Structures are given as C-alpha cells and as structure tokens.
Amino acid sequence: MAVIGGGALFALVVPPVFRTEPKHTTPAARSTTQASQLSDAPQVSFTGMSWRDYHGVGLPYSAADGPRDTGGDLAAGFTQTPQGALLAAVHIAVRANVQWGPTVFEPTIDRQVIGPDAGALADATSRAYERQRGKRPVGAALGRGYVVLEGFRWQGYSPEAASLDLVSAGPGDSDVTVRAVTRLQLHWRDGDWRVVAPPGGTWAGAAAPIESLDGYVRFPGGGG
C-alpha cells in the first residue's frame, strides 16, 4: 500500500498504501498486548458480512457483529467476539486516517484509540492534514482512498484483548501495486473495542512491506 500521510489510511494499512514510501521495518516492535496472554487464532466466519464502499475503500459490515452505529461517517458498536474485533480493527484504523479530514479522524482517535501514544497519533495526523490540505477549505476531505484490504492474520485473541496483522494493497510508483502489513492491537473497554495507538504515534512503526499473502486469511473477493 502506499502510505497515508501521517495518519493511517491505511497508511494504516498502512504503509504502503497511500502515496508515501513504506519504511522497511518489522511490524510493531513494542507490544502492549502480550501474545502469551491471548489464545490461538480464532476462526472467523464471513457469513453475513457485506462489503460497502467507504470513500474508495471497501469495508466489511455485519448485521450481527457491527458496526451498529455509523452516524457522522464514523463507526462504533462491535460485538465482543473475534468477528467484532476484526471489524473494529478495520473500521477504526481506516477512519483514524488523515484522508477523510478532521471531522472523521479527530473523533475516531479521541473516542476509539487508546494507549500512551494516542495523543501523539492525534497530533501527527493533524499536522499531516494541514500539510496536505493545500487550498481546500478547513475540514475538507483530501480525496478518495486507493487501498484494498486483502487479508489478515491473528496474533492472538481473548474477550478482553486482540492482536492481528492486516494486509492492504495500493498503487506505488509507476503504477506498481505495493502491499503492507500493519500490526493492530485492541482492548475491550467501556462496552466496545478500542485500537491501541501505534508506537510513537505513527503507523509506520507498526507496519512493514510484504510480497505475498501466503500465511494470511484472505478476505472474500479480495476485500470488497
């Protein structure tokens, strides 16, 4: 993927997918969720999930597992299940991205991102937005996304915490498709899943480029 400016659009998905060269690092050197505290990779059923366009990015939705609340272009309300954790990781990470403007990334980070680096992520995303806004009105979105979510792999899961690697793909230099894997960690708090901010408040510290989807669970239809 080409990374998204200082946010994540999957810059999140991060690095590669959004017009920025990925850093050649391994996902999340620092972990706030110890793998030893989590169970083996749970089975996830895609039955009942549908994919809808979110400003150019296909995202999964489930009537059973969430998101239940999508007002204001945001997403919240996920079940305390593996499916709910996976859906929360995808929706929160995508919305914590500079691409959609502060009306989306600010409340997403403020309400749904936790951890010691949440403030740094908010500051970095705001700075990236101002750098990229150009002559657009304050608050305007920067445009559509050009990222495809292709698959994931569990690092571990429990009803209170989850950790997974998410693969995204997007256009790189010379129209070559590039892929990145981003480590996402979540905690169940106040009745919903929250994403733990990446180390240092930058998704680049939680992502790395990859060449193939070998070993990952592929999303149906390649992610939408």
Side-chain angles (χ1 to χ4, degrees):
M1 346 173 178
V3 165
I4 305 177
L9 189 350
F10 263 9
L12 210 178
V13 188
V14 242
V17 178
F18 261 114
R19 306 191 175 136
T20 288
E21 284 299 313
K23 294 186 178 181
H24 295 280
T25 57
T26 56
R30 185 180 68 185
S31 173
T32 58
T33 301
Q34 296 299 321
S36 61
Q37 299 174 344
L38 305 179
S39 65
D40 292 336
Q43 293 294 315
V44 170
S45 173
F46 295 111
T47 301
M49 282 191 191
S50 61
W51 291 78
R52 307 175 197 169
D53 178 79
Y54 183 80
H55 306 297
V57 182
L59 298 181
Y61 293 76
S62 167
D65 297 295
R68 293 186 295 270
D69 183 359
T70 55
D73 228 13
L74 307 178
F78 301 92
T79 57
Q80 196 173 10
T81 64
Q83 287 91 334
L86 173 61
L87 289 164
V90 170
H91 281 271
I92 295 172
V94 167
R95 286 172 170 81
N97 171 42
V98 66
Q99 201 76 6
W100 324 129
T103 59
V104 174
F105 70 71
E106 285 183 353
T108 296
I109 296 173
D110 181 58
R111 303 170 192 170
Q112 297 176 285
V113 177
I114 61 174
D117 294 306
L121 176 63
D123 291 343
T125 307
S126 294
R127 291 195 300 271
Y129 176 76
E130 288 305 319
R131 288 196 303 270
Q132 298 177 43
R133 182 169 63 85
K135 297 181 179 180
R136 298 179 182 84
V138 175
L142 302 182
R144 292 175 63 80
Y146 296 92
V147 173
V148 175
L149 307 183
E150 294 189 321
F152 73 98
R153 180 169 60 196
W154 289 109
Q155 292 300 312
Y157 171 85
S158 79
E160 302 300 328
S163 179
L164 60 91
D165 291 338
L166 186 63
V167 177
S168 59
D173 292 341
S174 302
D175 295 324
V176 173
T177 297
V178 291
R179 291 182 175 83
V181 57
T182 302
R183 176 70 50 83
L184 296 174
Q185 298 186 33
L186 303 95
H187 285 282
W188 183 261
R189 180 176 295 181
D190 298 328
D192 209 350
W193 290 106
R194 317 289 170 173
V195 168
V196 178
T202 170
W203 293 110
I210 61 170
E211 298 298 326
S212 78
L213 284 168
D214 292 348
Y216 293 88
V217 177
R218 296 175 184 245
F219 288 123

